[in-house]
Amino acid sequence: MRIRTYGGRTVSVVALVASTLALTGCGQDDGADPEAAPGTTAQSTTPPAVPEGALVGAPGSACDMPVTFALAESWKPKPVTVAPDNPLAELARRGPLTMVCEIDAKPAGNIGFLRVWTGDGDKLRPSLEAFIGTDAHGPTYTELRVGDRPALEVAYQEKSQLDDTMEPERVFAVQTPQGIVAVSLDSFGSDEHTAMLPAYELAKSSLRHRDS
């Protein structure tokens, strides 16, 4: 179980997930026990199947966003709406970016999420530096193009405050006319991170701006 610090407050990922669900517009539980999440192990590293037409981001999909991308099979998206006066709203903000969609891997057999973040501006490097914060270890930035737009990815490690192990983290950000859109892979340990990478890479390779 990962422990994170947000704005001087230390919270577990389980608490973050519970808080995030409380912030969503469709926060009903899908029947899974959130307290059982940390004990679940990764089942497979097989690249995910992609059902035809399984896109998130388009009008009428679970999350209405400036971009669309393909979902791995069984991953479940939910929109995230942050009320400014909600005391837990800070859990859905990192640097200049605010979470707008959370895509749950539990129905596919893994414990973790792809999370989509948006924010104003067009400077990818400063936005990602603020997003990962000062606790990031060994960040490696890679310039790329995603959906034929300038993008930047950072891979880094972060120390768990529970047991001091180093855990892999990864996020990419892309410029759009509506500002910056970032997609992060948030897992519950190294094994889950590896198992969930194909879904993250699928999102990156299939991402398109909605006007394109």
Side-chain angles (χ1 to χ4, degrees), residues 4-5 94-97 125-141 153-158 169-172 184:
R4 290 187 181 279
T5 300
R94 295 183 63 177
L97 304 178
R125 180 70 177 250
S127 294
L128 284 184
E129 288 176 343
F131 181 89
I132 67 176
T134 57
D135 292 331
H137 290 257
T140 300
Y141 292 87
E153 182 175 44
V154 57
Y156 61 102
Q157 290 188 317
E158 191 166 86
E169 306 286 348
R170 190 177 295 259
V171 57
F172 72 88
S184 64

Side-chain angles (χ1 to χ4, degrees), residues 168-182:
E169 306 286 348
R170 190 177 295 259
V171 57
F172 72 88
V174 60
Q175 294 177 344
T176 79
Q178 289 77 31
I180 293 173
V181 176

